[in-house]
Amino acid sequence: MNDLDDRFLTRNGLAARQLASLLMHHELDTRLPRVRDFAEQLGCGNGTVQAALRLLEESGAIVTSARGHLGTFLVRSDRTVLWRLSGLGTLLAAMPLPYSRRYEGLATGLRGAFEESGAPFAVTFMRGAGARTAALLEGKVDMVVLSRFAADQLIAEHPVELVADLGPATYVGAHGMLVRRGVDTDTPGLRVAIDHSSQDLRMLVERVFAGREDIEWKEASYMQLHDLFAQGEVDATVWNLDEARGRIGQGVEVRPLGDEVTRELALRNSSAAVICRVDGARTSTAVRAALDLSLVTRIQAEVLRSERLPSY
């Protein structure tokens, strides 16, 4: 196998690595693109493509069958070998801290989907979509999990792209306004907790209280909310109810978010999204191909229903 690995460092081997990425999720018993189509896509000659395909067959990554005028068909493939030969390595995802069962289910679902596809996967946990995106831009992680709401904002500001949207209630269940019992939110000088490290919550709370110049802003994280409300240091905030449940005392009531715009923002905030760097085309393609979104959401739902133990 060492001799074969050395051959993958040649020009033909480089083409074989690129082909491995393209073939990783090619459906079995379907016709492969023509050699000249591969050559055009890879920017090399037909002979190089033919040699690369032979290398992949000799490595046990694929088995093909020539069927005359019908073309060449992919009979068998080993996704684990294809992934290794592609040189992509272990995909590292940055996710929010797993403080809710929903996040645990999401991490478990992502791991399950990548394992099913034969892609090595690891996860690191970081608080704040901005911090996770900075790690992505610095090349420390390969992908970031965040809300679709935050993803849209960051895509507009940075060279990152959306590679998956898992749909409503995959990131958080709902948001609501938390108000200290007996407090009128129209009261001048209302003390509102805000977490600037969270792109989602900052935008939501600013939208809910837009136009209020009398607000006294209080910087706070979800871990501080219980004490801040209990000690009477804050009057209100907008928060992820997955986090708030069980952490906020009896003296706090949950109120629905108001206008249609805020509800639409909260809906986008509830959807989990995955982003990658724009210049990481091979990674983005591999992630799109590897992620079976229905499998991710099914596993997440099983964790939420306590039918599966979290594993990430």
Side-chain angles (χ1 to χ4, degrees):
M1 191 63 185
N2 287 336
D3 181 57
L4 185 60
D5 286 344
D6 290 341
R7 293 166 62 190
F8 275 88
L9 301 176
T10 65
R11 184 175 66 175
N12 292 343
L14 176 59
R17 288 179 176 272
Q18 293 174 304
L19 278 176
S21 296
L22 296 176
L23 296 176
M24 205 175 307
H25 301 281
H26 192 92
E27 293 294 328
L28 297 182
D29 206 35
T30 57
R31 187 174 62 185
L32 291 174
R34 296 171 300 181
V35 167
R36 64 172 176 267
D37 293 331
F38 273 139
E40 183 177 346
Q41 188 171 358
L42 300 182
C44 62
N46 291 351
T48 300
V49 171
Q50 290 169 335
L53 287 169
R54 284 196 299 272
L55 276 176
L56 292 179
E57 293 226 40
E58 291 167 6
S59 71
I62 62 171
V63 174
T64 63
S65 173
R67 300 180 183 174
H69 70 279
L70 294 177
T72 299
F73 284 67
L74 182 66
V75 176
R76 187 181 66 80
S77 67
D78 187 321
R79 289 178 174 177
T80 301
V81 175
L82 284 170
W83 190 278
R84 178 177 62 80
L85 294 178
S86 74
L88 287 168
T90 299
L91 289 174
L92 180 60
M95 288 192 61
L97 303 179
Y99 44 67
S100 74
R101 182 53 66 96
R102 197 176 305 272
Y103 285 160
E104 288 188 316
L106 181 56
T108 303
L110 288 170
R111 174 172 290 282
F114 279 110
E115 287 180 349
E116 179 73 17
S117 72
F121 173 78
V123 61
T124 184
F125 298 102
M126 302 173 66
R127 185 166 175 267
R132 296 195 292 278
T133 302
L136 177 67
L137 294 171
E138 293 167 8
K140 295 178 180 177
V141 299
D142 300 300
M143 61 186 133
V144 164
V145 179
L146 69 178
S147 75
R148 179 62 191 269
F149 186 22
D152 288 343
Q153 181 77 16
L154 291 166
I155 288 168
E157 299 172 353
H158 301 287
V160 297
E161 61 178 333
L162 181 74
V163 296
D165 181 334
L166 282 85
T170 52
Y171 194 70
V172 297
H175 286 82
M177 185 186 300
L178 305 181
V179 182
R180 192 157 56 87
R181 199 172 299 280
V183 168
D184 181 351
T185 55
D186 292 328
T187 301
L190 189 74
R191 297 166 301 174
V192 178
I194 187 169
D195 183 359
H196 281 94
S197 72
S198 170
Q199 192 96 353
D200 308 339
L201 293 174
R202 177 184 62 78
M203 289 190 284
L204 275 172
V205 75
E206 288 177 350
R207 180 63 63 93
V208 169
F209 294 100
R212 292 281 299 272
E213 297 182 0
D214 62 319
I215 293 293
E216 181 182 346
W217 299 106
K218 297 281 188 178
E219 187 66 31
S221 75
Y222 78 95
M223 294 179 290
Q224 300 170 313
L225 279 184
H226 178 276
D227 290 338
L228 290 174
F229 273 114
Q231 295 165 11
E233 295 184 24
V234 298
D235 301 311
T237 191
V238 176
W239 216 264
N240 166 9
L241 298 184
D242 287 338
E243 299 173 30
R245 291 189 180 96
R247 292 184 173 90
I248 305 301
Q250 297 296 317
V252 178
E253 57 183 291
V254 178
R255 299 180 187 175
L257 297 179
D259 58 61
E260 289 297 325
V261 173
T262 299
R263 279 194 288 273
E264 189 272 332
L265 290 174
L267 181 63
R268 283 195 291 138
N269 193 293
S270 80
S271 298
V274 179
I275 60 173
C276 291
R277 291 187 303 276
V278 169
D279 62 2
R282 289 182 69 221
T283 300
S284 299
T285 300
V287 170
R288 285 191 179 96
L291 267 185
D292 181 341
L293 301 187
S294 64
L295 179 58
V296 176
T297 54
R298 177 171 62 79
I299 292 175
Q300 182 186 42
E302 290 172 358
V303 172
L304 284 170
R305 294 193 300 265
S306 299
E307 296 172 1
R308 177 191 290 254
L309 289 175
S311 175
Y312 47 85

